[in-house]
Amino acid sequence: MKAEELQARVLHRDGLMLIIDKPAGLPCHAGPKGGPNLEALFDGLRFGLPKPPSLAHRLDRDTSGCLVLGRHRKALAKLGRLFSSGGIDKTYWAVVEGGPAEEAGHIDRPLSKLNKKSGWKMVVDPEGQPSQTDFRVLGRADGPNGGVTWLELKPLTGRTHQLRIHCSSMGWPILGDPVYGPIVGDTGGVPLHLHARAVSVPLYPKRDPVSVTAEPPAHMLKALRACGYTN
């Protein structure tokens, strides 16, 4: 991705923050071995300021949608406090295999990071960090293997991979998840169907929260439309 392409994905801009529509498949920052990443393109998002913006939070490499950036140090500190206190409302869309029997509910399952020689992943652990997610069914589609369900997910805490492991542990993994899905590793080329649909940031005390939505990525549209999405 070029800087100009990322500029076209800016959903909101003001003096303190940017909200961009992160593309799926591109990590927020470079890993131990380097490689393409969003942060390498942030110089093109200065928009007149002396320094590029910085990540106020993160999305997984394969998750698309609303990503908040702070434009300078004080803005980052303020956004950091809002994220850590749960003051920012985040809404995700996911398409899961199978789905919950109920139309809405609450997941309360503590999580811990499990480290192995082959890598790490998150696991449900009664002694882990508190982790809660609210869910609501937006649509369903029948299929030969139980069908799929379009969910709205609202994380009430911000644990790593929280939505992915919560859905998987409930018996309805997110479509295309190579770590927590029913087929680990090779998903048959199906990308992760998880999208940061909306974010609401109460950044200015005397104004309404800044609320932004991001359209779902192309790779999710077929499954979403099967579940009743019409845009």
Side-chain angles (χ1 to χ4, degrees), residues 78-145:
K78 188 170 185 179
L79 288 166
R81 289 191 295 270
L82 285 170
F83 273 106
S84 63
S85 67
I88 294 179
D89 185 65
K90 295 171 286 183
T91 301
Y92 289 75
W93 281 0
V95 179
V96 300
E97 300 190 32
E102 58 270 62
E103 293 300 306
H106 177 76
I107 305 170
D108 185 356
R109 297 190 171 186
L111 302 176
S112 293
K113 181 183 284 188
L114 177 65
N115 292 296
K116 293 184 175 181
K117 290 184 178 180
S118 57
W120 64 269
K121 68 176 184 177
M122 301 300 290
V123 295
V124 175
D125 177 3
E127 302 301 319
Q129 292 182 302
S131 307
Q132 296 93 31
T133 302
D134 287 338
F135 69 87
R136 181 167 67 98
V137 172
L138 300 180
R140 300 180 190 266
D142 294 330
N145 299 314

Side-chain angles (χ1 to χ4, degrees), residues 59 62 72 76 126 159 169 191:
L59 296 176
D62 295 324
H72 49 70
L76 273 173
R159 310 302 174 209
S169 71

